[in-house]
Amino acid sequence: MRYRRCVEVGYGGNLVAASIIQHMGGSVLCIDRKIFSGEGQIRTAVDDITHPDMKLYRGSDCIYAIRPGIEMMPDLIDLATTVASDLLIYHLGCELYHNGGERIDCGVILHRYHSQIKSYSEREEC
């Protein structure tokens, strides 16, 4: 509910999380390296985060990925840092990248690897 403009990276045709965010009043853009059919009411775009089209991400307050490959993490962190957006990751099992970022328990365990606000103590939890 905190985020108003979200970008999901690597959605793989699965729009469940994006639909929940949209239902709660947020704006969502789902991005993947290939086109998926049947998107419907959720906006989608094709992009490769190794060479991102920054206009797709600028103005977002949250970039998130669900079970991204570890090889995607440096690019996701760079992207979130460049556009000054929070980066939330839902990892597969106990998989982490480096120190795991800030751990957030909001019913599921999320990891915030970048925050648009420098001090996490200034933020409320989800």
Side-chain angles (χ1 to χ4, degrees), residues 11-27:
Y11 76 102
N14 184 335
L15 298 169
V16 172
S19 296
I20 292 168
I21 292 167
Q22 186 169 287
H23 179 73
M24 294 183 78
S27 167

Side-chain angles (χ1 to χ4, degrees), residues 5 29 31 47 52-60 79 83:
R5 186 164 184 265
L29 172 63
I31 294 178
D47 193 40
D53 179 353
M54 292 303 204
K55 71 177 179 247
L56 295 171
Y57 306 91
R58 281 197 183 98
S60 64
L79 180 60
V83 300

Side-chain angles (χ1 to χ4, degrees), residues 79-97:
L79 180 60
T81 302
T82 300
V83 300
S85 177
D86 280 15
L87 174 62
L88 295 177
I89 303 296
Y90 177 77
H91 285 292
L92 179 62
C94 295
E95 185 176 74
L96 294 177
Y97 180 75

